[in-house]
Amino acid sequence: ANDIKVKELKPVFTPEQIAARIQELAAEINAEYGDEPMVAVCVLKGGFMFFSDLVRFLHNKNLELDFVRLSSYGKGSSSSKHVIFSKDVEIDICGKHVLIVEDIVDSGHSMRFLLGQFAARKARSLRLAALVDKDERREVDVKVDFAGFKLNQGFIVGYGLDYAEHYRMLPGVFEVIPE
Ligand code: PRP
Ligand code: MN
Ligand code: MG
């Protein structure tokens, strides 16, 4: 799968569309949490650009930021996908609202793992924001509370999303069209 040649990158979401949608999501999130103690957690690497663009519009005076990185094995044959932390948060989330910020939720295995881990730590609430929700591809039941866009097909890159570590820096989201 990692050896296909890319023929073309077809625009899916422009930087302007993403920026406009982030404003709407930030307004929803600001209304939801006020100034209650809150931790926004970026899921590296894919979440980095969405996270950095989203948090600058969050007004919560008691907002802390932290980062996790997940590793998964058995990707592709995803029903057996096994996920572990390669980096955990450093902040204690007990008693605080937690908002996980992801680039994309696809099969749901990554987020099922992370939500399960955080649920055991007595967060005051636990919600998930994702720029792209591929909800028809879910293999496990994971709900995105703040979804930027829904999309059900196409391999997408850009705005944090990679293909074999390439294209993460692109300011928009593109579909990979293979040769
Ligand atoms: C990708 C993506 C999500 C996850 C979604 O991350 O960024 O985190 O997969 O897939 P799932 O819903 O099927 O679990 P990846 O493991 O490629 O790591 P990366 O963010 O470092 O690219
Ligand atoms: Mn990821
Ligand atoms: Mg990836």
Side-chain angles (χ1 to χ4, degrees):
N2 273 6
D3 53 5
I4 67 152
K5 282 223 168 69
V6 176
K7 180 177 156 213
E8 186 195 334
L9 295 179
K10 184 179 150 210
V12 178
F13 305 120
T14 66
E16 294 74 21
Q17 288 173 310
I18 294 168
R21 188 66 187 119
I22 285 176
Q23 293 291 326
E24 295 172 349
L25 292 174
E28 273 183 59
I29 293 166
N30 286 327
E32 184 75 29
Y33 296 99
D35 285 326
E36 291 174 2
M38 174 179 178
V39 185
V41 177
C42 174
V43 184
L44 297 170
K45 298 178 186 177
F48 85 97
M49 203 176 279
F50 178 46
F51 183 78
S52 65
D53 282 346
L54 179 68
V55 297
R56 71 186 79 195
F57 297 107
L58 300 184
H59 301 320
N60 187 327
K61 292 187 180 62
N62 292 300
L63 177 63
E64 299 172 288
L65 307 183
D66 211 338
F67 301 83
V68 297
R69 173 135 175 73
L70 306 176
S71 294
S72 55
Y73 300 97
K75 215 165 186 165
S77 58
S78 38
S79 52
S80 61
K81 200 160 128 181
H82 178 66
V83 183
I84 59 164
F85 279 115
S86 51
K87 184 212 174 300
D88 201 343
V89 288
E90 292 159 25
I91 289 172
D92 183 5
I93 64 171
C94 179
K96 299 170 188 167
H97 295 289
V98 172
L99 178 67
I100 298 169
V101 181
E102 255 288 30
D103 53 348
I104 186 167
V105 180
D106 188 1
S107 73
H109 288 283
S110 303
M111 285 307 98
R112 182 178 63 171
F113 166 80
L114 189 59
L115 289 162
Q117 290 290 318
F118 283 176
R121 299 180 195 179
K122 299 184 165 49
R124 184 155 163 197
S125 72
L126 188 50
R127 288 193 184 82
L128 172 58
L131 182 74
V132 177
D133 185 5
K134 275 194 161 174
D135 61 347
E136 284 180 18
R137 286 180 43 95
R138 215 70 99 234
E139 293 173 8
V140 292
D141 189 24
V142 167
K143 183 171 133 280
V144 177
D145 301 288
F146 303 97
F149 303 98
K150 294 207 173 182
L151 197 70
N152 289 307
Q153 54 191 13
F155 187 84
I156 56 173
V157 297
Y159 202 74
L161 291 144
D162 72 304
Y163 171 54
E165 297 298 333
H166 288 76
Y167 305 122
R168 291 193 198 274
M169 80 299 277
L170 298 177
V173 172
F174 297 82
E175 181 180 352
V176 173
I177 310 295
E179 292 259 302

